[in-house]
Amino acid sequence: MAWVLLLGSGAMEAVWAIALAGAGKTRRIAPAAIFVGATALSLGGLALAMREIPTGTAYAVWAGTGAALTVL
């Protein structure tokens, strides 16, 4: 379960990165709200996954997943 949570958190990292890019271009509230929500889910999921997965491994998977999905 921790691995599924970790991969989902990595996906949320990609969502907040894309929303952050959108929030910088406009003054609309929606991209900013998506950024805040996705950031909370991403970091919260990472914190919960790190209860069962070592910190270095969890961070590497989380960051790698988020970076790969952001590029795609």
Side-chain angles (χ1 to χ4, degrees):
M1 181 67 182
W3 285 100
V4 173
L5 184 60
L6 183 60
L7 292 174
S9 297
M12 285 294 105
E13 183 184 5
V15 170
W16 72 250
I18 294 167
L20 181 61
K25 296 178 182 177
T26 65
R27 293 184 183 254
R28 294 181 306 168
I29 192 81
I34 292 169
F35 167 76
V36 170
T39 301
L41 290 173
S42 179
L43 292 174
L46 175 63
L48 290 174
M50 287 191 332
R51 291 180 176 178
E52 296 181 27
I53 301 169
T55 301
T57 304
Y59 181 76
V61 170
W62 177 75
T65 303
L69 291 176
T70 301
V71 168
L72 291 175

